Amino acid sequence: EDKVVQSPLSLVVHEGDTVTLNCSYEVTNFRSLLWYKQEKKAPTFLFMLTSSGIEKKSGRLSSILDKKELFSILNITATQTGDSAVYLCAVGGSSNTGKLIFGQGTTLQVKP
Amino acid sequence: DAGVIQSPRHEVTEMGQEVTLRCKPISGHDYLFWYRQTMMRGLELLIYFNNNVPIDDSGMPEDRFSAKMPNASFSTLKIQPSEPRDSAVYFCASSSVGTSSYNEQFFGPGTRLTVL
């Protein structure tokens, strides 16, 4: 059965800290891994990763994929209170059906 | 583009009543997904359509739930009869597999359902 597991489930840090969120997966016919950020509304897209070892970066956020070890990490440097959210990892597989398997999410709280 | 549109944004109903949630996907997208999100279970895929045809409804919790997509620009998720345990946020998402953004799903704002 396809599954995506995120860790930790929750995290509390102070502004300025650096955090690393983890996502491991077991998915048939892997196509892509996506990171979403969810505040008190709908998930919004952050990154899509398809190739191992290539870092994707957007401001203070970066992510990398390891297809051999079947995991990805999302790094946030110099955290701000606005980074407080649930971060969702999702994996697309199974031969181009469009379906994503979501992890349970990591709840990040950044304190001032 | 206006993005994925869902209505209503909030729905409060009493147990036993019929509830209909509506979704308009992004124009040109050929996949449409219905999700349910709760604190306990996270984001669960209920059903998804490709070119208006249901592909996988294995996530639909029971026969009280049904979904339709009569055309490329409209889908409904119906719960009849509703129960308190159906209280959740229901998201609709759409995507266009086969483009450079394959698998990326765009989410609507969600419908927060409360069944009393």
Side-chain angles (χ1 to χ4, degrees):
Chain A
E1 181 184 346
D2 294 343
K3 65 178 179 180
V4 177
V5 177
Q6 292 184 244
S7 64
L9 292 182
S10 64
L11 192 56
V12 180
V13 300
H14 287 92
E15 274 192 316
D17 289 349
T18 293
V19 298
T20 298
L21 310 183
N22 303 291
C23 175
S24 63
Y25 62 90
E26 293 177 24
V27 173
T28 304
N29 298 322
F30 174 90
R31 281 175 60 84
S32 58
L33 185 145
L34 294 84
W35 286 96
Y36 285 84
K37 177 182 181 182
Q38 185 177 24
E39 298 169 89
K40 292 186 185 299
K41 48 187 178 179
T44 54
F45 174 77
L46 293 175
F47 297 112
M48 182 168 66
L49 302 152
T50 57
S51 302
S52 278
I54 299 175
E55 185 183 55
K56 292 257 179 130
K57 196 169 173 65
S58 176
R60 297 175 294 101
L61 278 66
S62 64
S63 183
I64 198 161
L65 173 68
D66 186 328
K67 290 169 71 174
K68 182 179 178 184
E69 300 297 330
L70 307 183
F71 78 93
S72 173
I73 60 172
L74 175 68
N75 281 320
I76 309 174
T77 59
T79 52
Q80 302 172 357
T81 55
D83 296 326
S84 297
V86 176
Y87 290 84
L88 295 164
C89 174
V91 176
S94 300
S95 304
N96 197 28
T97 64
K99 180 178 177 180
L100 290 175
I101 310 296
F102 277 85
Q104 65 273 58
T106 293
T107 300
L108 173 65
Q109 182 183 359
V110 181
K111 293 187 172 182
Chain B
D1 199 318
V4 177
I5 299 172
Q6 289 187 248
S7 64
R9 295 291 303 275
H10 302 273
E11 177 81 31
V12 180
T13 190
E14 293 189 346
M15 183 173 65
Q17 296 297 306
E18 177 179 297
V19 175
T20 299
L21 311 181
R22 298 173 177 79
C23 175
K24 176 179 168 56
I26 292 172
S27 177
H29 282 188
D30 51 358
Y31 279 84
L32 183 140
F33 304 82
W34 282 101
Y35 290 91
R36 176 173 68 177
Q37 188 175 42
T38 61
M39 288 291 292
M40 290 296 293
R41 301 174 68 91
L43 197 63
E44 302 174 277
L45 177 65
L46 300 177
I47 184 171
Y48 74 98
F49 296 83
N50 176 218
N51 292 322
N52 314 336
V53 176
I55 302 300
D56 183 352
D57 66 354
S58 60
M60 296 285 261
E62 47 196 276
D63 292 346
R64 297 184 297 105
F65 286 69
S66 63
K68 293 182 180 179
M69 192 165 185
N71 58 62
S73 58
F74 184 66
S75 177
T76 59
L77 178 68
K78 186 176 292 186
I79 308 172
Q80 166 62 16
S82 58
E83 297 182 2
R85 61 193 167 120
D86 301 331
S87 298
V89 180
Y90 290 81
F91 287 107
C92 175
S94 70
S95 72
S96 178
V97 176
T99 69
S100 61
S101 296
Y102 62 82
N103 282 151
E104 179 185 348
Q105 294 179 13
F106 297 82
F107 283 77
T111 295
R112 182 174 294 277
L113 174 65
T114 303
V115 183
L116 303 173

XYZ file of all heavy atoms in Angstrom, chain B residues 20-96:
619
model
N -25.172 19.294 -0.020
C -24.556 19.275 -1.349
C -23.459 20.326 -1.415
O -23.712 21.511 -1.194
C -25.583 19.538 -2.451
O -26.578 18.517 -2.420
C -24.905 19.507 -3.820
N -22.256 19.865 -1.706
C -21.107 20.746 -1.857
C -20.791 20.855 -3.349
O -20.891 19.860 -4.083
C -19.896 20.186 -1.106
C -20.151 19.754 0.343
C -18.868 19.245 0.974
C -20.749 20.867 1.155
N -20.354 22.035 -3.767
C -20.158 22.298 -5.185
C -18.740 22.752 -5.491
O -18.091 23.395 -4.646
C -21.150 23.358 -5.664
C -22.589 22.922 -5.530
C -23.574 24.023 -5.852
N -24.955 23.541 -5.782
C -25.650 23.369 -4.674
N -25.093 23.655 -3.491
N -26.885 22.918 -4.717
N -18.298 22.432 -6.697
C -16.930 22.768 -7.081
C -16.869 23.094 -8.567
O -17.442 22.383 -9.403
C -15.995 21.604 -6.782
S -14.284 21.865 -7.346
N -16.150 24.167 -8.870
C -15.842 24.508 -10.259
C -14.322 24.452 -10.396
O -13.609 25.263 -9.783
C -16.354 25.894 -10.593
C -16.005 26.375 -11.988
C -16.591 27.770 -12.235
C -16.022 28.421 -13.495
N -16.199 27.596 -14.692
N -13.796 23.527 -11.202
C -12.335 23.420 -11.330
C -11.774 24.524 -12.209
O -12.515 25.269 -12.849
C -12.153 22.049 -11.993
C -13.406 21.870 -12.798
C -14.498 22.532 -12.002
N -10.463 24.598 -12.252
C -9.793 25.536 -13.135
C -10.039 25.105 -14.586
O -9.923 23.916 -14.912
C -8.279 25.594 -12.831
C -8.062 26.232 -11.449
C -7.517 26.357 -13.906
C -6.637 26.182 -10.958
N -10.380 26.051 -15.409
C -10.684 25.761 -16.803
C -9.496 25.080 -17.483
O -8.350 25.523 -17.364
C -11.018 27.079 -17.523
O -11.242 26.848 -18.897
N -9.792 23.988 -18.174
C -8.739 23.264 -18.881
C -8.140 22.114 -18.105
O -7.437 21.277 -18.670
N -8.392 22.072 -16.800
C -7.897 20.949 -16.004
C -8.772 19.727 -16.239
O -9.993 19.833 -16.284
C -7.883 21.315 -14.520
C -6.721 22.172 -14.135
N -6.434 22.478 -12.822
C -5.763 22.758 -14.884
C -5.338 23.237 -12.792
N -4.927 23.410 -14.023
N -8.115 18.573 -16.350
C -8.877 17.367 -16.664
C -9.008 16.410 -15.488
O -9.628 15.356 -15.617
C -8.278 16.646 -17.878
C -6.780 16.401 -17.741
O -6.182 16.824 -16.723
O -6.203 15.790 -18.655
N -8.407 16.767 -14.350
C -8.580 15.959 -13.146
C -9.254 16.805 -12.072
O -8.914 17.974 -11.880
C -7.232 15.472 -12.599
C -6.692 14.251 -13.305
C -5.970 14.373 -14.484
C -6.914 12.980 -12.795
C -5.477 13.267 -15.139
C -6.420 11.853 -13.438
C -5.700 12.001 -14.613
O -5.213 10.903 -15.259
N -10.170 16.168 -11.338
C -10.821 16.837 -10.215
C -10.840 15.889 -9.030
O -11.156 14.712 -9.194
C -12.250 17.259 -10.576
C -12.991 18.049 -9.483
C -13.808 19.184 -10.096
C -13.858 17.173 -8.621
N -10.492 16.426 -7.862
C -10.337 15.622 -6.656
C -11.212 16.210 -5.544
O -11.304 17.423 -5.389
C -8.883 15.642 -6.170
C -7.887 15.197 -7.200
C -7.435 16.078 -8.176
C -7.407 13.905 -7.192
C -6.513 15.681 -9.135
C -6.477 13.492 -8.138
C -6.040 14.381 -9.112
N -11.818 15.320 -4.771
C -12.514 15.718 -3.544
C -11.756 15.135 -2.347
O -11.484 13.933 -2.301
C -13.946 15.213 -3.521
C -14.913 15.994 -4.357
C -15.396 15.673 -5.585
C -15.546 17.228 -3.992
N -16.272 16.635 -6.017
C -16.381 17.593 -5.059
C -15.464 18.072 -2.874
C -17.152 18.769 -5.039
C -16.226 19.224 -2.859
C -17.056 19.563 -3.927
N -11.422 16.021 -1.390
C -10.733 15.615 -0.169
C -11.582 16.013 1.048
O -12.369 16.953 1.010
C -9.387 16.340 -0.027
C -8.316 15.947 -0.999
C -8.168 16.625 -2.206
C -7.427 14.919 -0.703
C -7.162 16.281 -3.096
C -6.408 14.575 -1.585
C -6.293 15.270 -2.779
O -5.290 14.922 -3.654
N -11.320 15.302 2.134
C -11.907 15.669 3.426
C -10.743 15.829 4.402
O -9.818 14.996 4.411
C -12.847 14.573 3.907
C -13.434 14.800 5.285
C -14.490 13.767 5.622
N -13.950 12.434 5.792
C -14.690 11.388 6.152
N -15.990 11.546 6.359
N -14.151 10.205 6.280
N -10.801 16.861 5.230
C -9.720 17.093 6.185
C -10.282 17.257 7.587
O -11.177 18.061 7.831
C -8.904 18.327 5.820
C -7.655 18.494 6.691
C -6.779 19.651 6.237
O -7.265 20.720 5.895
N -5.468 19.419 6.218
N -9.755 16.448 8.505
C -10.090 16.554 9.921
C -8.801 16.543 10.722
O -7.743 16.137 10.217
C -10.974 15.382 10.387
O -10.238 14.161 10.194
C -12.272 15.311 9.615
N -8.906 16.982 11.972
C -7.722 16.978 12.829
C -7.217 15.554 13.028
O -6.021 15.297 13.042
C -8.057 17.614 14.181
C -8.247 19.115 14.113
S -6.718 19.976 13.785
C -5.855 19.674 15.315
N -8.159 14.623 13.187
C -7.772 13.255 13.527
C -7.160 12.516 12.340
O -6.200 11.759 12.502
C -9.001 12.485 14.027
C -9.502 12.931 15.378
S -8.287 12.626 16.673
C -8.271 10.835 16.687
N -7.711 12.715 11.154
C -7.336 11.884 10.012
C -6.556 12.625 8.942
O -6.123 12.017 7.956
C -8.587 11.253 9.407
C -9.354 10.381 10.394
C -10.663 9.906 9.787
N -10.437 8.966 8.696
C -10.359 7.651 8.829
N -10.496 7.107 10.020
N -10.154 6.875 7.784
N -6.375 13.935 9.130
C -5.623 14.681 8.131
C -6.401 14.824 6.835
O -7.633 14.825 6.816
N -5.675 14.899 5.728
C -6.270 15.105 4.405
C -6.499 13.740 3.755
O -5.555 13.003 3.497
C -5.312 15.951 3.574
C -5.828 16.627 2.322
C -6.910 17.633 2.671
C -4.683 17.330 1.608
N -7.756 13.424 3.484
C -8.103 12.133 2.896
C -8.704 12.345 1.516
O -9.625 13.163 1.364
C -9.169 11.423 3.741
C -8.829 11.153 5.177
C -10.047 10.583 5.886
O -10.902 11.368 6.319
O -10.132 9.345 6.002
N -8.230 11.581 0.548
C -8.828 11.621 -0.782
C -10.119 10.806 -0.774
O -10.117 9.633 -0.392
C -7.864 11.049 -1.810
C -8.375 10.956 -3.236
C -8.629 12.342 -3.811
C -7.385 10.194 -4.109
N -11.213 11.412 -1.198
C -12.498 10.718 -1.234
C -12.729 10.081 -2.601
O -13.053 8.900 -2.712
C -13.635 11.693 -0.911
C -13.572 12.369 0.458
C -14.725 13.366 0.597
C -13.623 11.348 1.574
N -12.591 10.880 -3.649
C -12.874 10.416 -5.001
C -12.164 11.347 -5.967
O -11.911 12.513 -5.639
C -14.390 10.409 -5.280
C -14.716 9.822 -6.656
C -14.985 11.799 -5.128
C -16.220 9.600 -6.883
N -11.814 10.827 -7.153
C -11.340 11.739 -8.171
C -11.833 11.344 -9.556
O -12.168 10.181 -9.799
C -9.823 11.924 -8.137
C -8.968 10.796 -8.651
C -8.465 10.817 -9.951
C -8.609 9.742 -7.822
C -7.634 9.808 -10.409
C -7.791 8.724 -8.275
C -7.292 8.764 -9.564
O -6.471 7.762 -10.019
N -11.910 12.328 -10.419
C -12.435 12.200 -11.767
C -11.341 12.558 -12.774
O -10.504 13.424 -12.520
C -13.608 13.179 -11.988
C -14.807 12.938 -11.132
C -14.862 13.425 -9.825
C -15.904 12.252 -11.617
C -15.980 13.217 -9.024
C -17.032 12.053 -10.838
C -17.071 12.526 -9.545
N -11.405 11.901 -13.913
C -10.598 12.279 -15.053
C -11.533 12.459 -16.240
O -12.273 11.524 -16.585
C -9.536 11.220 -15.336
C -8.715 11.511 -16.583
O -8.360 10.624 -17.344
N -8.369 12.770 -16.798
N -11.497 13.625 -16.840
C -12.404 13.914 -17.954
C -13.863 13.565 -17.613
O -14.563 12.909 -18.394
C -11.956 13.168 -19.216
C -10.645 13.706 -19.751
O -10.397 14.913 -19.723
N -9.791 12.817 -20.226
N -14.256 13.956 -16.421
C -15.626 13.833 -15.916
C -15.998 12.411 -15.508
O -17.133 12.170 -15.078
C -16.671 14.328 -16.934
C -16.303 15.667 -17.551
O -15.560 16.433 -16.966
N -16.817 15.924 -18.735
N -15.110 11.463 -15.641
C -15.401 10.073 -15.307
C -14.778 9.725 -13.952
O -13.588 9.991 -13.748
C -14.847 9.127 -16.387
C -15.058 7.674 -15.988
C -15.482 9.416 -17.741
N -15.543 9.147 -13.013
C -14.944 8.763 -11.727
C -13.923 7.646 -11.934
O -14.222 6.631 -12.565
C -16.145 8.297 -10.911
C -17.205 7.951 -11.904
C -16.987 8.819 -13.090
N -12.722 7.861 -11.387
C -11.633 6.909 -11.565
C -11.450 6.042 -10.326
O -11.229 4.839 -10.422
C -10.314 7.630 -11.891
C -10.460 8.474 -13.156
C -9.163 6.631 -12.018
C -10.834 7.684 -14.399
N -11.509 6.670 -9.172
C -11.243 5.941 -7.930
C -12.116 6.537 -6.832
O -11.912 7.686 -6.453
C -9.762 6.049 -7.573
C -9.392 5.258 -6.313
O -10.299 4.749 -5.626
O -8.188 5.163 -6.011
N -13.081 5.771 -6.372
C -13.948 6.251 -5.289
C -13.731 5.441 -4.017
O -14.603 5.405 -3.144
C -15.411 6.234 -5.705
C -15.922 4.817 -5.942
O -15.114 3.859 -5.894
O -17.132 4.658 -6.181
N -12.591 4.797 -3.916
C -12.332 3.918 -2.768
C -12.250 4.681 -1.452
O -12.372 4.087 -0.383
C -11.044 3.114 -2.983
O -9.945 3.978 -3.147
N -12.049 5.978 -1.532
C -11.974 6.768 -0.318
C -13.319 7.253 0.193
O -13.409 7.816 1.291
N -14.371 7.036 -0.562
C -15.703 7.452 -0.125
C -16.093 6.595 1.074
O -16.136 5.365 0.979
C -16.713 7.278 -1.254
C -16.406 8.165 -2.446
S -16.825 9.886 -2.145
C -18.413 9.962 -2.973
N -16.396 7.226 2.203
C -16.555 6.461 3.441
C -17.712 5.463 3.431
O -17.600 4.394 3.999
C -16.728 7.533 4.512
C -16.995 8.806 3.797
C -16.501 8.677 2.424
N -18.796 5.793 2.834
C -19.932 4.873 2.816
C -20.960 5.362 1.797
O -20.772 6.395 1.153
C -20.543 4.764 4.216
C -20.773 6.099 4.901
C -20.996 5.941 6.397
O -22.136 5.670 6.800
O -20.022 6.099 7.151
N -22.031 4.594 1.688
C -23.028 4.885 0.648
C -23.734 6.217 0.842
O -24.402 6.688 -0.075
C -24.066 3.766 0.598
C -23.470 2.463 0.097
O -22.350 2.520 -0.458
O -24.114 1.422 0.261
N -23.592 6.815 1.974
C -24.239 8.110 2.195
C -23.555 9.197 1.362
O -24.126 10.269 1.154
C -24.171 8.486 3.672
C -24.912 7.535 4.598
C -24.894 8.026 6.034
N -23.548 8.099 6.593
C -22.875 9.242 6.785
N -23.431 10.411 6.477
N -21.660 9.223 7.294
N -22.364 8.927 0.901
C -21.606 9.884 0.105
C -21.715 9.534 -1.370
O -21.571 8.367 -1.752
C -20.123 9.863 0.504
C -19.816 10.511 1.819
C -20.233 9.943 3.019
C -19.091 11.693 1.866
C -19.945 10.546 4.230
C -18.792 12.298 3.074
C -19.221 11.720 4.255
N -21.942 10.558 -2.194
C -21.945 10.363 -3.638
C -21.376 11.605 -4.306
O -21.477 12.704 -3.764
C -23.353 10.070 -4.157
O -24.198 11.170 -3.914
N -20.768 11.421 -5.456
C -20.185 12.551 -6.184
C -20.499 12.400 -7.664
O -20.558 11.284 -8.185
C -18.679 12.624 -5.960
N -20.687 13.548 -8.294
C -20.966 13.563 -9.718
C -20.148 14.658 -10.388
O -19.765 15.651 -9.754
C -22.449 13.835 -9.972
C -23.368 12.731 -9.513
C -24.820 13.065 -9.847
C -25.761 11.959 -9.386
N -27.176 12.284 -9.679
N -19.913 14.462 -11.666
C -19.273 15.506 -12.461
C -19.965 15.517 -13.816
O -19.519 14.846 -14.766
C -17.776 15.259 -12.601
C -17.045 16.447 -13.165
S -15.268 16.340 -12.932
C -14.788 17.944 -13.560
N -21.062 16.236 -13.944
C -21.856 16.209 -15.172
C -21.173 16.857 -16.371
O -21.504 16.533 -17.511
C -23.125 16.970 -14.784
C -22.731 17.812 -13.611
C -21.659 17.059 -12.895
N -20.225 17.757 -16.100
C -19.472 18.371 -17.198
C -18.111 18.827 -16.679
O -17.832 18.725 -15.478
C -20.263 19.528 -17.809
C -20.610 20.592 -16.797
O -19.729 21.214 -16.209
N -21.906 20.801 -16.568
N -17.292 19.338 -17.561
C -15.898 19.654 -17.213
C -15.767 20.824 -16.252
O -14.680 21.070 -15.723
C -15.115 19.949 -18.487
N -16.846 21.550 -16.015
C -16.708 22.747 -15.198
C -17.520 22.682 -13.904
O -17.683 23.701 -13.214
C -17.132 23.985 -15.995
O -18.461 23.853 -16.433
N -17.988 21.504 -13.541
C -18.841 21.440 -12.356
C -18.840 20.047 -11.751
O -18.957 19.046 -12.459
C -20.272 21.848 -12.725
C -21.226 21.902 -11.570
C -21.066 22.842 -10.568
C -22.290 21.007 -11.486
C -21.943 22.901 -9.494
C -23.175 21.065 -10.416
C -23.013 22.004 -9.427
N -18.746 20.011 -10.423
C -18.840 18.742 -9.703
C -19.568 18.972 -8.387
O -19.516 20.071 -7.818
C -17.453 18.163 -9.412
O -17.537 16.978 -8.655
N -20.254 17.938 -7.920
C -20.931 18.000 -6.625
C -20.530 16.807 -5.774
O -20.252 15.725 -6.279
C -22.457 17.993 -6.776
O -22.855 16.795 -7.455
C -22.947 19.202 -7.534
N -20.513 17.045 -4.487
C -20.348 15.988 -3.490
C -21.560 16.066 -2.576
O -21.832 17.120 -1.988
C -19.067 16.187 -2.681
C -18.784 15.182 -1.561
C -18.487 13.803 -2.128
C -17.618 15.643 -0.689
N -22.284 14.965 -2.492
C -23.518 14.958 -1.733
C -23.419 13.984 -0.563
O -22.854 12.882 -0.707
C -24.687 14.569 -2.642
C -26.061 14.668 -2.007
C -27.154 14.361 -3.023
C -27.235 15.427 -4.087
N -28.396 15.221 -5.001
N -23.963 14.393 0.568
C -24.032 13.524 1.740
C -25.504 13.436 2.138
O -26.150 14.445 2.405
C -23.206 14.085 2.926
C -21.784 14.413 2.489
C -23.182 13.060 4.071
C -20.977 15.140 3.557
N -26.013 12.226 2.146
C -27.427 12.022 2.463
C -27.634 10.646 3.076
O -27.412 9.638 2.395
C -28.285 12.161 1.199
C -29.715 11.665 1.300
C -30.566 12.409 2.321
O -30.205 13.493 2.767
N -31.691 11.826 2.691
N -28.059 10.560 4.340
C -28.237 11.646 5.288
C -26.930 12.019 5.986
O -26.049 11.165 6.137
C -29.202 11.027 6.298
C -28.852 9.572 6.300
C -28.422 9.246 4.897
N -26.809 13.242 6.394
C -25.575 13.675 7.058
C -25.580 13.239 8.525
O -26.633 13.056 9.141
C -25.423 15.196 6.951
O -26.535 15.840 7.528
N -24.363 13.058 9.069
C -24.177 12.674 10.463
C -23.115 13.591 11.085
O -22.279 14.130 10.354
C -23.726 11.215 10.564
C -24.742 10.224 10.029
C -24.299 8.784 10.178
O -23.211 8.543 10.735
O -25.056 7.888 9.735
N -23.137 13.730 12.408
C -22.147 14.609 13.065
C -20.706 14.254 12.723
O -19.855 15.142 12.602
C -22.453 14.423 14.558
C -23.915 14.111 14.589
C -24.171 13.271 13.360
N -20.417 12.978 12.521
C -19.032 12.584 12.212
C -18.596 13.002 10.811
O -17.424 12.842 10.462
C -18.864 11.074 12.364
C -19.737 10.234 11.461
C -19.712 8.783 11.915
N -20.752 7.998 11.283
C -20.504 6.945 10.525
N -19.269 6.551 10.312
N -21.493 6.255 9.987
N -19.520 13.536 10.016
C -19.151 14.065 8.696
C -18.601 15.489 8.800
O -18.127 16.040 7.794
C -20.373 14.073 7.771
C -20.975 12.689 7.587
O -20.222 11.701 7.673
O -22.205 12.606 7.380
N -18.665 16.074 9.975
C -18.158 17.436 10.156
C -16.672 17.474 9.835
O -15.879 16.702 10.389
C -18.401 17.912 11.596
O -19.785 17.956 11.869
N -16.298 18.354 8.925
C -14.918 18.421 8.428
C -14.828 19.591 7.455
O -15.828 20.249 7.157
C -14.543 17.126 7.701
N -13.629 19.816 6.947
C -13.456 20.739 5.824
C -13.294 19.886 4.563
O -12.470 18.962 4.526
C -12.228 21.647 6.001
C -12.094 22.579 4.797
C -12.345 22.463 7.283
N -14.108 20.182 3.571
C -14.071 19.442 2.312
C -13.412 20.319 1.253
O -13.865 21.436 0.979
C -15.480 19.039 1.897
C -16.056 17.985 2.805
C -16.622 18.331 4.032
C -16.017 16.635 2.460
C -17.122 17.368 4.893
C -16.524 15.660 3.314
C -17.069 16.030 4.532
O -17.573 15.078 5.376
N -12.340 19.803 0.665
C -11.609 20.533 -0.368
C -11.848 19.880 -1.720
O -11.899 18.660 -1.852
C -10.103 20.519 -0.087
C -9.678 21.395 1.052
C -9.282 20.830 2.255
C -9.628 22.769 0.906
C -8.875 21.628 3.308
C -9.223 23.576 1.958
C -8.847 23.002 3.164
N -11.934 20.725 -2.715
C -11.912 20.301 -4.096
C -10.584 20.786 -4.689
O -10.120 21.881 -4.357
C -13.099 20.919 -4.833
S -13.152 20.597 -6.595
N -9.972 19.972 -5.526
C -8.729 20.362 -6.176
C -8.779 19.920 -7.632
O -9.490 18.967 -7.970
C -7.524 19.724 -5.480
N -8.037 20.613 -8.473
C -7.972 20.187 -9.866
C -6.535 20.214 -10.350
O -5.679 20.887 -9.772
C -8.870 21.063 -10.750
O -8.371 22.379 -10.892
N -6.275 19.452 -11.396
C -4.930 19.418 -11.968
C -5.026 19.048 -13.435
O -6.063 18.598 -13.923
C -4.030 18.417 -11.230
O -4.401 17.088 -11.524
N -3.891 19.248 -14.095
C -3.799 18.912 -15.513
C -2.564 18.055 -15.690
O -1.455 18.574 -15.784
C -3.709 20.180 -16.351
O -3.583 19.853 -17.719
